[in-house]
Amino acid sequence: MHVLVCGGAGYIGSHTCVALAERGHRVVIADNFSNSAPPVLERLARLTGQAPDARRVDVRNAAALAALFAGHRFDAVIHFAALKAVGESCERPLDYFDNNISGTITLLQAMRAADVRRLVFSSSATVYGEPQSVPIDEDAPLSSTNPYGRTKLVMEQLIGDVCTADPGFQAISLRYFNPVGAHPSGLIGEAPNGVPNNLMPYICQVAAGKRERLQIYGGDWPTVDGTGVRDYIHVMDLAQAHVHALEKLDGVRGHLPLNLGAGRGISVLELLRAFETASGREIPYRIVDRRVGDVAEVYADPSRAERLLGWRTQLDVDAMCRDAWRWQSMNPDGYAET
Ligand SMILES: NC(=O)c1ccc[n+]([C@@H]2O[C@H](COP(=O)([O-])OP(=O)(O)OC[C@H]3O[C@@H](n4cnc5c(N)ncnc54)[C@H](O)[C@@H]3O)[C@@H](O)[C@H]2O)c1
């Protein structure tokens, strides 16, 4: 298929572009590089044997999108382009509403105008808010606890409404749980700007000596060892799920939300110990107070995605840690040195 990948230069997008190329799909990347760096493109060329077709395009720019659609006959769009930091979204909610929601509206309008009606959308487990029980399936109540989460919820609803209004529109929203890890080559991975928001890149930076110690929020949760439990999924498994979703879109009626997780919870301390084994480094940590709004356990029931996509996770926590550490060791400053 000929696929437009919005936000394809980012962490999950870049891994998905490799998986798409390996399956013989033709990819055009549209990215404004607000949270990624053009040197990733050279890494993609090394991994796929071909320079990627990438354009500096902001998805809020209707004219730029129209020009892109006029120049290609895309079969489908994969939409990763969004701002994603929860804390930042609380400080700059309007930027998040503008980038994520306005960007999605502009993209949907451009798709409709070009008669491209197949979409795979990056959603998130954040749409479940503070879940009442685990494992979480797709019928669990939806809510949001911060502006970032609200944008994901609204974007899903917008896509659902477009599908209802136009029965020819086919969309899958992939609700990721906690993506971690990197390509096993060590050539592409997660390159956060500033202080990492997520646990795994933070652990990587502590292991590399860039940060003194990890802060663990709460050691008295009702979990296996008192620390919070989440559902970590290797980014290579996530990338494969996008390929499956793309190839199954044709059979989808309307808007289909699917959980992407391993279906198994791992505690912060379990992840930390697995990382220490994978890296051979000790990770100093300190347990501090719980954060407001955090919950003890979040993990997916991924059985719907397994059934409908014919996909399931293959890579365990050891592979997640090994690949994350290889990426960190080979690229201590992310893509800056390329
Ligand atoms: N990484 C996670 O933990 C996680 C979890 C759940 C959902 N998601 C969602 O998955 C998607 C990809 O996440 P990621 O971790 O790869 O993030 P990322 O920041 O690495 O990638 C997003 C990419 O989109 C680009 N972008 C942002 N706004 C844009 C715009 N207006 N126009 C064009 N390009 C734009 C950025 O430059 C970046 O390259 C996001 O939508 C995110 O909300 C991520």
Side-chain angles (χ1 to χ4, degrees):
M1 281 196 239
H2 195 19
V3 191
L4 175 63
V5 183
C6 299
Y11 170 45
I12 303 167
S14 57
H15 289 77
T16 302
C17 286
V18 174
L20 290 167
E22 282 170 353
R23 280 282 295 177
H25 296 295
R26 277 173 59 214
V27 167
V28 175
I29 294 173
D31 202 301
N32 67 358
F33 297 102
S34 60
N35 197 38
S36 49
V40 70
L41 303 175
E42 184 266 328
R43 304 290 183 93
L44 290 179
R46 280 167 68 183
L47 286 169
T48 63
Q50 205 174 17
D53 184 347
R55 319 291 169 92
R56 187 181 287 273
V57 166
D58 191 305
V59 293
R60 291 166 295 180
N61 183 336
L65 281 185
L68 204 49
F69 279 99
H72 300 266
R73 270 244 42 96
F74 293 118
D75 299 300
V77 174
I78 305 183
H79 179 27
F80 295 101
L83 298 174
K84 62 166 185 175
V86 170
E88 187 183 64
S89 80
C90 298
E91 289 156 21
R92 297 168 32 207
L94 289 173
D95 289 344
Y96 273 67
F97 299 150
D98 178 40
N99 192 78
N100 296 3
I101 298 175
S102 303
T104 299
I105 293 172
T106 308
L107 178 61
L108 289 167
Q109 286 168 333
M111 288 177 67
R112 295 261 300 146
D115 200 22
V116 177
R117 293 147 108 198
R118 290 195 204 117
L119 175 68
V120 177
F121 171 63
S122 290
S123 188
S124 166
T126 191
V127 299
Y128 297 115
E130 292 175 27
Q132 284 145 21
S133 61
V134 285
I136 306 169
D137 70 24
E138 290 83 352
D139 299 324
L142 303 180
S143 69
S144 58
T145 56
N146 56 67
Y148 166 68
R150 264 184 287 288
T151 69
K152 287 286 153 184
L153 210 47
V154 170
M155 289 187 274
E156 272 203 23
Q157 287 162 347
L158 292 173
I159 293 165
D161 286 344
V162 168
C163 289
T164 305
D166 175 356
F169 209 98
Q170 297 163 303
I172 299 179
S173 287
L174 297 174
R175 295 176 177 162
Y176 316 152
F177 278 66
N178 294 73
V180 294
H183 192 278
S185 65
L187 286 174
I188 56 173
E190 186 170 10
N193 285 327
V195 183
N197 294 299
N198 294 336
L199 178 61
M200 183 69 101
Y202 205 103
I203 290 178
C204 283
Q205 293 195 3
V206 173
K210 293 180 122 184
R211 308 210 175 265
E212 200 183 335
R213 66 165 68 84
L214 176 71
Q215 300 219 48
I216 299 179
Y217 297 102
D220 56 355
W221 294 102
T223 60
V224 59
D225 55 23
T227 63
V229 164
R230 297 293 179 270
D231 186 339
Y232 296 95
I233 175 168
H234 198 299
V235 68
M236 297 296 289
D237 279 331
L238 207 51
Q240 286 303 329
H242 288 77
V243 177
H244 282 73
L246 179 76
E247 294 175 357
K248 295 280 184 208
L249 265 178
D250 225 6
V252 170
R253 293 286 145 261
H255 176 231
L256 175 68
L258 293 175
N259 285 344
L260 295 184
R264 167 171 177 263
I266 297 171
S267 77
V268 177
L269 281 178
E270 285 172 336
L271 186 73
L272 187 136
R273 298 297 177 221
F275 191 92
E276 287 184 328
T277 304
S279 65
R281 305 258 173 128
E282 192 188 332
I283 310 295
Y285 69 88
R286 183 169 51 201
I287 295 185
V288 297
D289 287 346
R290 296 178 180 187
R291 285 179 302 195
V292 178
D294 266 357
V295 287
E297 286 193 296
V298 179
Y299 58 93
D301 173 352
S303 55
R304 189 181 291 177
E306 291 175 359
R307 189 162 37 84
L308 297 181
L309 299 183
W311 161 95
R312 62 170 55 224
T313 57
Q314 307 284 335
L315 297 166
D316 63 11
V317 65
D318 296 334
M320 297 176 203
C321 293
R322 205 171 46 238
D323 292 335
W325 177 237
R326 186 182 300 108
W327 156 256
Q328 173 69 43
S329 316
M330 286 172 62
N331 309 272
D333 297 314
Y335 293 105
E337 289 176 341
T338 307

